[in-house]
Amino acid sequence: MTVITRFAPSPTGFLHIGGARTALFNWLFACHHGGKFCLRIEDTDKKRSTSDAIKEIIDGLQWLGLQWHGEAIYQSKNRARHTKVVDVLLERNLAYRCYCTPDELIEMREKARSNGLQPRYDGRWRDRSSTEVPTNIRPAIRFKAPRDGSTVINDQVQGNVTVDNEQLDDMVILRADGTPTYMLSAVVDDHDMGITHVIRGDDHLTNAFRQIQVYRALEWNEPAFAHIPLIHGPDGTKMSKRHGSLGIGTYREMGFLPTAIRNYLLRLGWSHGNEEIITTDKAIAWFDFSGIGRAPSRFDLTKLESLNGHYLRELKDEEAVRLIEPILLPQVGQKLTKQQRDRLFVGIGALKLRAKTLLELAESSFFYIAPRPIKISLKAEKHLNENTKRLLYELTQKLQELDNWNSESIENLIREFASSRDLKLNLVAQPLRVSLTGTTVSPSIFEVMVVLGRSETLSRLRDLQT
RNA sequence: GUCCCCAUCGUCUAGUGGUCCAGGACAUCGGCCUCUCACGCCGAAAACGGGGGUUCGAGUCCCCCUGGGGACGCCA
């Protein structure tokens, strides 16, 4: 049997971190089994679905590298099929028309709640004869759920979970306006698409019971279910659009790498022994349901940053330059010159070690391409005074006469220069760093000088004297 | 409120009855390296929520409590 999974987001908002992880798990599971991973956009709620959201979801998944099989499926296009299934259910007396008004339903729920019961539909239209049907109300169609007994789901993550059927009410499967609801269309589409494993957030667990009943009513094969625990915000509650969760696009803008996000998300709620750094190949080879934990986990940006730092360091230098270029562009105002790009390329290796995000990397590399005279930060300025300027002036003379402009000879020269004056190296290096980079923090100042080149180095030093 | 689920360091987790006075990672704190900051390396502090069982033996199995979460829509 070929494994077929799907990610089925509703395009009512951005692709958030929890959705991204659900997609990742579905993708990994399919890849692991050599199966197919499908994308289905659940856009049956026309009022809330937007094309912007669809675009964001698609962009986000692509950016994350979660390629789906074939074309994305739009659930709204299957509407005719969904309605047809509703008709079948109606014919077989497995569904019925409900003429309750919205107000009536609200009242019903409030009453149940105040009586300490679970708010749910009481089934008042379940067995009424067609003679007492009001003509002024368009009915919704409800599924005739079993009232006795219980429904068990053998969840791949949660194990056997049982719910008494009396807890489950007759859900609406077709709205009064004739549109199918999620409960119905998800089942129909999963069946039609041949989905073998439904992997989704824990918040869908109770839906699974109702959906299983639909499968059974229709005598369809049930897929396996795997409900994965939710990702909580730092405060321990479900992340939502207005609560701690950011769109995947935001993480991209913050300078995170897809590889890092994938690794982080995978490790959040899934484990393979003590493995922390997990390449995609290994993730595919190792991914299984047994590695998924059952407790929700909290989103920790710091750990993501640390992982991002790791993957940043693994980036090829040219790739790193390519990735920071668009971030640098607004500051530079124009396309980078060849010289600027060359400098970045040579300097980026040392910079990568020091950055956690692409944003930081771009920021820390700016001094290499900044126009003269370079801006000196307030903090850095403190290292410059009459004494140190005089020192740098003298050093400039020496540097001018240096034979070989390479890291080793520069370092030798400066060390000798410092010791000849009975100065600790940092008393020379720090003012030098400030004058060349405008900050107090940078890679080895000798390497910086090599990257800048003799001419630029001397020019920057001379800028200081004026 | 009702139903369902969950519970190991601050966080993510390893642990599937003895090898656990509980291991790893991030974060924190020391130290080394050192021209600054990182990286790297070494080290420290830090957890089985509580109570009952079962068992020769429980972080691991069972029950209760507590705590946390999720679901209760003509949303998905």
Side-chain angles (χ1 to χ4, degrees):
Chain A
M1 180 183 71
T2 309
V3 165
I4 305 178
T5 64
R6 51 49 164 201
F7 176 53
S10 64
T12 54
F14 47 57
L15 175 63
H16 61 90
I17 212 76
R21 189 182 61 160
T22 302
L24 175 68
F25 280 20
N26 273 286
W27 182 79
L28 284 173
F29 189 75
C31 288
H32 177 83
H33 291 282
K36 291 179 194 165
F37 165 67
C38 304
L39 174 63
R40 186 174 74 226
I41 306 287
E42 308 232 316
D43 56 347
T44 50
D45 185 351
K46 282 295 174 195
K47 280 182 224 106
R48 301 198 307 150
S49 300
T50 68
S51 54
D52 280 356
I54 293 175
K55 190 178 181 309
E56 243 219 65
I57 289 164
I58 286 181
D59 287 351
L61 288 175
Q62 273 170 345
W63 179 69
L64 276 176
L66 307 182
Q67 192 50 56
W68 55 93
H69 178 263
E71 296 286 309
I73 288 168
Y74 289 85
Q75 187 159 65
S76 57
K77 296 212 170 116
N78 298 337
R79 192 176 144 179
R81 162 74 173 147
H82 300 152
T83 347
K84 205 169 164 190
V85 172
V86 172
D87 287 341
V88 171
L89 253 11
L90 232 30
E91 274 165 32
R92 298 193 196 161
N93 196 27
L94 294 164
Y96 61 93
R97 293 180 178 78
C98 167
Y99 294 85
C100 284
T101 62
D103 286 344
E104 212 176 333
L105 293 170
I106 291 167
E107 194 193 317
M108 197 185 295
R109 273 182 220 114
E110 277 170 5
K111 207 169 151 190
R113 212 182 277 267
S114 65
N115 286 338
L117 296 169
Q118 185 172 353
R120 56 175 200 248
Y121 178 67
D122 61 9
R124 62 182 61 171
W125 286 97
R126 189 175 163 110
D127 297 308
R128 287 217 208 168
S129 69
S130 50
T131 49
E132 46 188 326
V133 159
T135 49
N136 57 336
I137 299 174
R138 292 185 62 184
I141 313 287
R142 285 183 186 271
F143 177 69
K144 198 178 261 186
R147 295 194 133 172
D148 307 318
S150 56
T151 301
V152 181
I153 116 163
N154 177 236
D155 194 273
Q156 301 297 298
V157 173
Q158 308 290 341
N160 279 330
V161 186
T162 308
V163 161
D164 288 338
N165 287 336
E166 62 175 10
Q167 296 297 328
L168 277 13
D169 62 1
D170 292 346
M171 66 197 173
V172 170
I173 53 178
L174 195 78
R175 299 186 187 91
D177 66 3
T179 59
T181 64
Y182 162 78
M183 283 297 176
L184 189 273
S185 31
V187 168
V188 175
D189 288 350
D190 282 341
H191 170 264
D192 291 357
M193 289 164 73
I195 301 300
T196 56
H197 299 260
V198 172
I199 306 167
R200 57 191 358 178
D202 215 353
D203 50 345
H204 283 280
L205 185 61
T206 49
N207 292 335
F209 293 97
R210 324 178 101 112
Q211 292 175 338
I212 273 183
Q213 292 178 344
V214 176
Y215 280 102
R216 291 183 185 161
L218 260 4
E219 293 173 332
W220 285 349
N221 286 331
E222 298 161 28
F225 288 96
H227 288 94
I228 61 181
L230 300 179
I231 298 176
H232 286 164
D235 70 338
T237 60
K238 185 183 177 182
M239 292 231 262
S240 65
K241 280 146 212 166
R242 65 172 99 76
H243 187 100
S245 186
L246 304 168
I248 209 74
T250 308
Y251 290 98
R252 181 183 189 172
E253 283 162 21
M254 290 195 288
F256 288 104
L257 264 15
T259 44
I261 294 188
R262 267 190 265 135
N263 193 151
Y264 176 70
L265 252 23
L266 173 63
R267 204 54 198 70
L268 201 57
W270 177 87
S271 62
H272 184 81
N274 279 334
E275 300 289 341
E276 295 287 347
I277 304 290
I278 304 165
T279 61
T280 301
D281 284 350
K282 281 183 176 168
I284 290 171
W286 291 340
F287 189 78
D288 56 1
F289 290 142
S290 65
I292 302 178
R294 294 200 284 171
S297 45
R298 297 188 192 201
F299 186 78
D300 181 11
L301 195 66
T302 316
K303 189 151 184 180
L304 209 207
E305 279 178 343
S306 141
L307 233 23
N308 205 56
H310 171 85
Y311 285 103
L312 220 45
R313 274 170 252 141
E314 287 201 333
L315 239 39
K316 289 210 174 69
D317 289 347
E318 58 228 87
E319 176 75 352
V321 173
R322 194 180 65 73
L323 288 169
I324 59 168
E325 216 179 304
I327 306 171
L328 250 14
L329 230 54
Q331 294 176 67
V332 183
Q334 58 191 7
K335 224 175 151 236
L336 298 183
T337 64
K338 182 170 185 310
Q339 191 197 35
Q340 285 178 316
R341 200 173 286 123
D342 287 348
R343 250 189 227 159
L344 287 176
F345 178 70
V346 182
I348 201 108
L351 258 14
K352 280 191 313 194
L353 257 38
R354 294 162 168 82
K356 295 261 186 265
T357 66
L358 286 172
L359 246 41
E360 286 176 15
L361 185 61
E363 195 191 335
S364 69
S365 68
F366 183 65
F367 80 88
Y368 274 134
I369 58 170
R372 287 181 36 229
I374 59 156
K375 242 188 249 152
I376 300 196
S377 78
L378 229 56
K379 192 179 167 194
E381 221 162 35
K382 290 178 185 151
H383 290 270
L384 298 177
N385 54 44
E386 284 306 307
N387 281 339
T388 54
K389 278 189 185 178
R390 166 104 217 135
L391 210 59
L392 290 176
Y393 175 76
E394 289 166 22
L395 181 61
T396 310
Q397 307 307 307
K398 303 257 181 201
L399 286 169
Q400 236 166 350
E401 294 156 14
L402 185 64
D403 286 337
N404 294 308
W405 194 261
N406 60 51
S407 181
E408 198 187 352
S409 48
I410 293 171
E411 177 164 355
N412 286 338
L413 184 148
I414 293 176
R415 281 187 189 279
E416 276 165 33
F417 178 82
S419 62
S420 72
R421 263 145 250 252
D422 222 19
L423 290 171
K424 279 187 163 176
L425 184 59
N426 65 322
L427 292 177
V428 179
Q430 219 34 8
L432 187 57
R433 169 170 287 114
V434 167
S435 61
L436 295 178
T437 70
T439 70
T440 56
V441 172
S442 84
S444 156
I445 197 59
F446 314 120
E447 282 172 41
V448 166
M449 290 165 83
V450 173
V451 176
L452 284 175
R454 189 196 305 253
S455 150
E456 179 72 14
T457 301
L458 295 177
S459 300
R460 288 191 185 189
L461 282 169
R462 287 191 192 111
D463 286 342
L464 208 67
Q465 303 297 335
T466 57

